[in-house]
Amino acid sequence: MTGAPVGDLVAAAVERRTAVPSFNVIGLEHAEGIVLGASRAGIPVLLQISENAIRFHGGGMRPLIAACRELAEAAPVDIGIHLDHIEDAALIDEGIALGSAFGIGSIMVDASTLDYADNVRTTADAVGRAHAAGLWVEAELGAIGGKDGAHAPGVRTDPAEAASFVAATGVDGLAVAVGSSHAMATRDASLDLELIAALAAAVPVPLVLHGSSGVPDDVIREAVAAGIRKINVGTALNIAYTGSVRSFLDADDRATDPRKYVAPARDAVADLVQRFCEVISPALLSRKASR
Ligand code: G3H
Ligand code: ZN
């Protein structure tokens, strides 16, 4: 199907006390690898396109999202399309305007660098318009580390403030700062699992873990058990992709056809996505078996 409704996928994860894996797309081959890995695992995932990825392509969000929509439509599993870390007001407007008619199922309105009152104002304004367009909306409260050095990794989301933020904005999902940090190249982050449980108890919407590339498998499982319901992974895919390209080119300095080294890199992404799916959403594996 074309761009599965993200709210439905997250609701299914909530019901099964598991999480929806959500993977960053940089280009077509990333999207192909992610869909292939998810299809092999038999688990619904999100293709998430960040503001940085949109800017990298230079021609607006439509070409990459159109490619993701076509891949989603042809996939044997449900694939949702999510706009990730959208800070720019014009891009928020464009994402809402394209909306579900263009295959987009959700948007993360990221006003987390603003102070609390401005974060609430910016998020609430976008939520009303995004809901009218049929989109599920995620926002961020707290300071998840590693985003262009903008945030301090030590800061944590406060449960009471998070509950107030959700009530004041009407968001459907909340990204929380619980110890993970964006763009980690090592998998040794430790999470505050007690805080995740406290947030899950206090906040009436699903919680989202960002910066999950740096979180070890067993800690990802513990985070899901504590109440995380959407898990964002980006950097780990890039490490796998680039590592594959590097080893191919190191072994063959006469290679010229990108297909020769991009194909194994795409496979490396697919393998890793499949593995992440099996770690993050084992409860959804049984869904495949029962189909
Ligand atoms: O929103 C995207 C994620 O938080 C990805 O973070 O690149 O550190 O895995 P990561
Ligand atoms: Zn993130």
Side-chain angles (χ1 to χ4, degrees):
M1 70 178 293
T2 172
V6 171
D8 291 358
L9 300 186
V10 178
V14 169
E15 191 190 326
R16 288 165 183 261
R17 304 176 72 77
T18 186
V20 178
S22 195
F23 297 102
N24 281 94
V25 173
I26 290 183
L28 176 61
E29 288 81 7
H30 266 68
E32 290 171 338
I34 293 164
V35 170
L36 183 59
S39 302
R40 283 189 198 142
I43 286 178
V45 304
L46 306 186
L47 294 169
Q48 57 185 14
I49 297 110
S50 71
E51 183 165 314
N52 288 338
I54 293 167
R55 297 210 185 287
F56 163 72
H57 286 284
M61 65 174 75
R62 294 175 71 119
L64 188 55
I65 292 171
C68 290
R69 188 188 58 202
E70 294 298 319
L71 289 168
E73 188 158 346
V77 289
D78 289 339
I79 305 284
I81 298 172
H82 174 75
L83 296 176
D84 195 40
H85 287 293
I86 308 296
E87 299 183 28
D88 182 89
L91 285 181
I92 293 172
D93 290 348
E94 186 182 356
I96 292 171
L98 294 177
S100 49
F102 207 70
I104 299 167
S106 56
I107 182 168
M108 178 193 189
V109 176
D110 185 351
S112 63
T113 56
L114 305 179
D115 63 29
Y116 180 82
D118 286 337
N119 189 352
V120 167
R121 197 172 307 116
T122 304
T123 305
D125 170 65
V127 165
R129 294 180 293 120
H131 281 172
L135 301 186
W136 188 88
V137 185
E138 176 181 334
E140 177 175 327
L141 182 67
I144 299 165
K147 247 185 334 191
D148 301 327
H151 290 326
V155 178
R156 297 286 184 270
T157 306
D158 175 71
E161 191 174 61
S164 305
F165 181 85
V166 169
T169 58
V171 288
D172 305 299
L174 188 67
V176 287
V178 292
S180 59
S181 194
H182 285 98
M184 284 182 66
T186 55
R187 298 193 68 196
D188 52 7
S190 62
L191 300 183
D192 188 337
L193 297 167
E194 282 182 17
L195 176 58
I196 294 172
L199 286 161
V203 175
V205 297
L207 303 179
V208 183
L209 183 67
H210 282 244
S212 309
S213 293
V215 183
D217 287 351
D218 56 334
V219 182
I220 286 179
R221 290 189 192 96
E222 289 173 329
V224 174
I228 292 290
R229 296 293 171 250
K230 173 174 176 277
I231 295 203
N232 289 13
V233 178
T235 301
L237 306 190
N238 297 339
I239 292 171
Y241 185 102
T242 304
S244 171
V245 171
R246 184 173 288 118
S247 62
F248 188 100
L249 294 179
D250 280 350
D252 182 357
D253 63 4
R254 295 166 63 97
T256 54
D257 184 343
R259 289 170 293 191
K260 297 281 191 246
Y261 53 86
V262 168
R266 180 178 54 194
D267 284 346
V269 168
D271 290 347
L272 191 56
V273 164
Q274 180 175 357
R275 224 173 53 72
F276 267 111
C277 284
E278 290 165 1
V279 169
I280 295 168
S281 307
L284 295 177
L285 285 170
S286 58
R287 187 169 123 156
K288 178 194 175 199
S290 65
R291 270 183 183 164

